[in-house]
Amino acid sequence: MPRWNPLALGLLGLAACLLLAPVLGCGPGRGPVGRRRLGRRQLSPLLYKQFVPNVPEQTLGASGKAEGKVLRGSERFRDLVPNYNPDIIFKDEENTGADRLMTERCKERVNSLAIAVMNMWPGVKLRVTEGWDEDGHHLPDSLHYEGRALDITTSDRDRHKYGMLARLAVEAGFDWVYYESKAHVHVSVKADNSLAVRTGGCFPGHATVTLQSGERRGLADLRQGDWVLGAEPGGRLVPTEVLLFLDRDLGQRTSFVAIETASPARRLLLTPSHLVFAARGAANGTAAFLPIFARRVRPGDAVLAHGAGGQGLRPARVLRVSREDGVGVFAPLTSHGTLLVNGVLASCYAVLESHRWAHRAFAPLRLFHGLLSLLPARAEAGNGTAPEVGMHWYSRLLYRLAGGVLGHEALQA
């Protein structure tokens, strides 16, 4: 048995005490994106004028503060998505399709509610009477102006159902539900970029990484200890070890940003708050590329792509950016904090729009894994260790500390 340096053993013990705590199962910035399951327990209708939770709508415990009107054609307007769910009837009095426009979170919740309505009352559908408002029909700070609020009824307009409809909306995961009127129920959600709901940085399971050998491997098959291609700060491709998974859930359904490029042709899917290296407009070399949230990438920007024939990184112009739902979320952490996914360079980090500070924040994890490498390898250990399912507790710890020190607004920019 090898002799160990007392300092190394002491550091290892300290790191173990700090890091080997019970797993809380969490990733960077993941909020309650899952829907509440409708169990067999008895559901009680909301009373007229009752709201859940029992706090004002625009408070942190509910849907949060208004962020200002979203105007058609503005930068924020691009974040609204149309809902063409055939199981929902949209009143659309204006004949502009405005009632169909909403945030991703609102769309996710109302689609879940539509299923619950049909299960509760066969033959009845959910009906949306008011959605995004661009005509000024609500109070100045209304969340309708941001696509975060809906007024709903049932398709048969049976007012005796509205109390239960409100309860179903609570169960579907709306952040605030108000049995506001005898004519409708009002529901709303937190902003998509809110700390309380933001999905952490993840890729879909069918995305591929490039191993050190040049072989492509799907993220669903990637293991701790594998060596993949990443990049140094200067942009040079280097082999980098997969230390762990910040998040790994084969069944989680979420919304991804799809970034498509030309020359070379690449297609990258990642969650909206994940960091990707991009430059505005045409760019030469790698110096102009900065880490930004995927949701900020626009057609005409450039990302760094792996050239064909084993070439290094080169700028690739973004042809289109869209949203796409997918199943499975994977967030590997490498020793360099970067990796090639579908041939495009991405960061391992999310939520905080600073790759440098995020990489520094994960230094204790890298230290811990470095110290572990000093231990003699067990016969059954080594490359290919299967990762744990779920979200890593250390990310939640950093997330909470950052929110407390920097404030929620600093991470919502």
Side-chain angles (χ1 to χ4, degrees):
M1 173 140 181
R3 297 173 63 86
W4 298 104
N5 186 302
L7 178 59
L9 288 176
L11 289 174
L12 180 59
L14 176 61
C17 292
L18 291 173
L19 299 177
L20 290 182
V23 174
L24 299 178
C26 175
R30 287 188 68 94
V33 298
R35 302 172 182 85
R36 303 182 189 183
R37 295 190 177 183
L38 300 180
R40 294 184 179 181
R41 61 186 174 86
Q42 188 70 29
L43 297 178
S44 58
L46 264 66
L47 302 176
Y48 180 56
K49 292 298 181 180
Q50 182 182 359
F51 44 87
V52 176
N54 191 27
V55 294
E57 181 179 27
Q58 294 191 27
T59 59
L60 187 61
S63 294
K65 293 182 179 180
E67 298 182 345
K69 293 183 179 181
V70 174
L71 303 178
R72 189 180 291 271
S74 67
E75 184 78 8
R76 291 174 61 204
F77 180 74
R78 300 183 184 184
D79 292 332
L80 299 184
V81 293
N83 192 334
Y84 296 112
N85 189 336
D87 296 327
I88 303 175
I89 297 173
F90 291 89
K91 188 176 181 181
D92 195 19
E93 291 176 308
E94 302 84 1
N95 291 318
T96 61
D99 287 339
R100 294 182 180 271
L101 294 175
M102 57 192 71
T103 64
E104 285 283 351
R105 181 172 177 82
C106 190
K107 179 180 178 180
E108 190 176 86
R109 296 300 183 264
V110 76
N111 286 347
S112 177
L113 177 59
I115 296 172
V117 167
M118 292 189 296
N119 289 337
M120 178 65 69
W121 302 293
V124 176
K125 292 186 176 183
L126 179 64
R127 177 171 173 260
V128 174
T129 60
E130 286 286 340
W132 175 60
D133 181 9
E134 59 179 334
D135 299 321
H137 294 158
H138 295 83
L139 295 175
D141 61 348
S142 170
L143 299 184
H144 281 284
Y145 296 122
E146 302 176 29
R148 293 167 52 192
L150 303 171
D151 292 340
I152 57 175
T153 71
T154 54
S155 59
D156 60 1
R157 308 184 195 183
D158 182 355
R159 298 187 178 186
H160 295 95
K161 292 186 173 78
Y162 292 174
M164 183 57 73
L165 176 64
R167 173 58 63 187
L168 293 179
V170 172
E171 296 297 316
F174 280 97
D175 297 302
W176 199 70
V177 178
Y178 181 27
Y179 191 176
E180 181 178 29
S181 162
K182 292 290 187 179
H184 69 261
V185 173
H186 176 85
V187 296
S188 62
V189 297
K190 298 178 185 293
D192 279 353
N193 65 348
S194 167
L195 268 180
V197 304
R198 181 179 294 167
T199 301
C202 302
F203 307 95
H206 58 73
T208 62
V209 294
T210 305
L211 300 182
Q212 184 178 7
S213 62
E215 173 192 351
R216 293 289 185 90
R217 178 170 295 178
L219 280 176
D221 300 319
L222 193 66
R223 295 292 181 264
Q224 178 181 336
D226 287 341
W227 285 77
V228 299
L229 289 185
E232 293 179 326
R236 186 172 68 91
L237 287 176
V238 293
T240 183
E241 184 183 5
V242 176
L243 302 179
L244 51 84
F245 279 77
L246 300 176
D247 193 354
R248 189 176 187 273
D249 190 336
L250 283 71
Q252 175 67 49
R253 186 171 189 86
T254 192
S255 177
F256 296 96
V257 174
I259 301 173
E260 300 180 53
T261 69
S263 186
R266 300 285 186 264
R267 192 170 191 269
L268 173 67
L269 269 68
L270 67 175
T271 45
S273 62
H274 199 107
L275 296 178
V276 62
F277 297 92
R280 296 299 184 194
N284 295 317
T286 61
F289 287 81
L290 299 173
I292 64 172
F293 291 141
R295 60 186 168 86
R296 298 193 193 275
V297 177
R298 297 289 179 259
D301 293 348
V303 294
L304 288 171
H306 191 201
Q311 300 176 358
L313 295 173
R314 53 178 291 188
R317 186 172 64 87
V318 176
L319 287 179
R320 63 184 63 89
V321 180
S322 58
R323 295 290 182 110
E324 182 175 312
D325 290 338
V327 177
V329 290
F330 298 82
L333 174 66
T334 67
S335 55
H336 285 78
T338 59
L339 73 167
L340 283 177
V341 180
N342 289 357
V344 178
L345 183 66
S347 170
C348 293
Y349 308 118
V351 178
L352 181 64
E353 203 166 19
S354 172
H355 174 84
R356 177 181 299 177
W357 281 105
H359 194 57
R360 289 173 178 172
F362 280 89
L365 275 183
R366 295 195 301 276
L367 171 64
F368 175 66
H369 282 270
L371 293 173
L372 279 182
S373 67
L374 299 176
L375 295 176
R378 294 177 297 175
E380 66 274 16
N383 288 5
T385 302
E388 296 288 336
V389 175
M391 297 170 283
H392 201 277
W393 67 270
Y394 186 74
S395 299
R396 173 172 287 183
L397 173 63
L398 293 180
Y399 166 73
R400 289 176 174 173
L401 289 176
V405 175
L406 301 177
H408 293 285
E409 294 77 9
L411 300 181
Q412 292 178 19

